[in-house]
Amino acid sequence: MLWSCTRLPRLERAALQRLAWWAQQWSSQVSYCSATGSDEALLWIEIGASQRLLGEAHSLLAQIAAGLAQLQYRGELAAAPTPQAARLLTRLSDHRIVTTLPALQQQLTALPLRLLALPADTLLLLHRTGLRRIGELLALPPAAVAQRFGPQTTRYLQQLTGAVAEPLPSVPLPAHFHSECEFDTAVEDATALLFPLQRMLHELQGYLRARDCAVQEFRLAFRHHRQAGSELRLRISRPCRDAAQLLAVTRERLAAFALDAPASALRLTATRFVAPAVLQSDFFARETQQAQELQQLIDRLQARLGAESIQRLQLRADYRPERAWRSLAVQDADGQAQASMDAVTAPRPCWLLPAPQPIDPPAGPLANAERIESGWWDGHDAARDYYLARSADGARQWVFQNLRSGQWFLHGLWS
Amino acid sequence: MQLARSLVRGISLSTPSTLPTGFATLDAALPGGGWPQGAVTELLSAGAGIGELSLLLPALAQLTRSSRQIAMLGPPCLPYAPALQQHGVVLRHLLLIRIADDAALLWAAEQLLRCSAVGAVLLWPRQLDDRRVRRLQLAAEAGGSCALLYREAAAHRQSSPAALRMRLQPAADGLQITIIKARGGSTGAVVVHTAAAA
């Protein structure tokens, strides 16, 4: 068993409890303790049922440290085979990761006794006895230690070295998530709430990862001074558990939201969670999800803009440029299987004018000559010589001369 | 103010991803080596038909080949399907919205940018202010897609929250690009040969 311990200065109990939920993204076995009479709080995370490699423990600790920084907390991290050893190592300035019991034993030997989490009077007594190093205390027979320094000292040493297991109560994940923040001075501008919200949403992200689920809606409740509270409900179009995305959505809503009155406290609550199926990193699941999402989007666009305004382009087999393509309402295009068509090989411009526009004969040099003759059978016959021309302002134009009338037209732009 | 600044810094720490433009000289000049994803790029074009669309086609073609949707909203002319296909764009992944109402167009752009199936949104608004660009920026951030905004050349005098702003002018056989703002990069000028592709 390998334990990671984080020692956090001055952290209130509610915040520590939320941190214990958040930490369950790494392990279901998380405990905390706010030591009485001390201003430090402890958070233990069981990070390996079996011995982990040193490198793994390093990267895990780095992840936890980065997560803490996102939450704007500061802490001292260490990892060791027993919870008490992990706690002790947080007090060192380096060599804070030990992965095996023999290595732990060896490291403890030379460390000073004052690092032990024993009552001050016990430490004083040990000092007076002439003991200075943890190794010296561990070398004494347990029965003698119990007799002179109390049985609790022996038990502590046994838990420290792993001779006796220390059962830690693991914090259960609540069915609902909530996080609260009180302000010293009431907040008037809703956008100023983004700073505490950033922390809250990262806590929520940890909780969602721990439960392996996502949210589609959550609630912000504002407390006001001498006035009933108010609320803002946020719904997002798809299940999400990414703090940055949730923050972006929240930021947008807050920008358009005016608080009824200055807020003295803010509470974030999420009570409905969505199965993580749609979040599978599996490529096909993602494709299916995207297809569904696209369909919903097109529905929304069509509902507001009209069914015909969302179009797809298709090729048509026709030599005449204005008939070599068509546009279709998206559902008609997506509903039919399109025969693959050979692309036109002669170069074509990106922009086509809605209709050829009469122009004066071009003055500059012409390039890319192409003759297009067709359509005599359906009355829309065309006999044209197309060229690339350059306009005075630098635009590259697709122009043609009608071979029957000699008239010049602008038909497209090479963009 | 202090809070706002640290918040902004906190968000911009997430690694920005980019989409290669398909033009090596341009990639080399852009931070991250391509069009910024999850952000707004403003293309201040001296006019239509100078190569302003060809500039995007390699990236757009790449997106459609990996089954991402691209959308063109309010283009000044008809995007010509045979030309787009010649440039490698998979037409069944292209959405075209041609409506005259600017507000509806911007609304649609935001919706599209937020959708994970959409890789890029090209937008030709007639009028645009800072607040609108900011909204597009938020939508692009939420969806991780490229918002590519065509504006008139005169807009370079206005400030803008866009991550990348560049001025496009015709050059001998391509496009003269002046990068006037690049978040996380430097400004400068590049010439790309879009004409060769046409």
Side-chain angles (χ1 to χ4, degrees), chain A residues 251-252 293 321 344 346 350 415, chain B residues 52 54 80 86 114 116 141 172:
Chain A
R251 182 167 51 176
E252 195 195 352
E293 208 192 313
V344 187
C350 291
S415 180
Chain B
E52 78 280 6
S54 305
Y80 192 43
Q86 284 176 350
R114 286 178 189 282
S116 70
E141 266 173 39

Side-chain angles (χ1 to χ4, degrees), chain A residues 20-43:
Chain A
W21 301 342
W22 167 85
Q24 290 182 43
Q25 59 186 297
W26 290 289
S27 164
S28 58
Q29 173 81 39
V30 173
S31 315
Y32 67 88
C33 153
S34 46
T36 43
S38 144
D39 67 350
E40 66 182 34
L42 301 166
L43 186 75

Side-chain angles (χ1 to χ4, degrees), chain A residues 415, chain B residues 19-23 26 35 41 43 51-63 70 72 87 89 120-124 146-150 166 168 175 194:
Chain A
S415 180
Chain B
L19 190 66
T21 66
F23 301 98
L26 182 56
W35 302 114
T41 295
L43 304 156
E52 78 280 6
L53 188 57
S54 305
L55 177 65
L56 299 182
L57 287 177
L60 297 181
Q62 187 50 47
L63 284 172
I70 57 171
M72 298 173 80
H87 283 89
V89 173
V121 175
L122 284 67
L123 181 64
W124 285 263
C146 295
L148 300 151
L149 206 53
Y150 284 99
M166 48 176 62
L168 311 181
L175 202 54
T194 51

Side-chain angles (χ1 to χ4, degrees), chain A residues 47-117:
Chain A
I47 56 172
S50 59
Q51 289 175 353
R52 274 179 182 264
L53 298 171
L54 195 63
E56 269 182 76
H58 264 292
S59 81
L60 200 54
L61 251 55
Q63 271 180 45
I64 297 172
L68 280 175
Q70 270 176 338
L71 295 175
Q72 297 135 29
Y73 289 133
R74 199 171 53 78
E76 305 294 341
L77 272 81
T82 71
Q84 287 302 335
R87 177 184 182 182
L88 187 144
L89 295 183
T90 61
R91 297 166 172 230
L92 300 181
S93 56
D94 53 6
H95 299 295
R96 287 191 184 172
I97 299 178
V98 174
T99 55
T100 64
L101 281 174
L104 173 66
Q105 194 87 30
Q106 194 184 351
Q107 183 164 0
L108 287 175
T109 305
L111 292 174
L113 274 178
R114 60 180 161 76
L115 293 176
L116 295 175

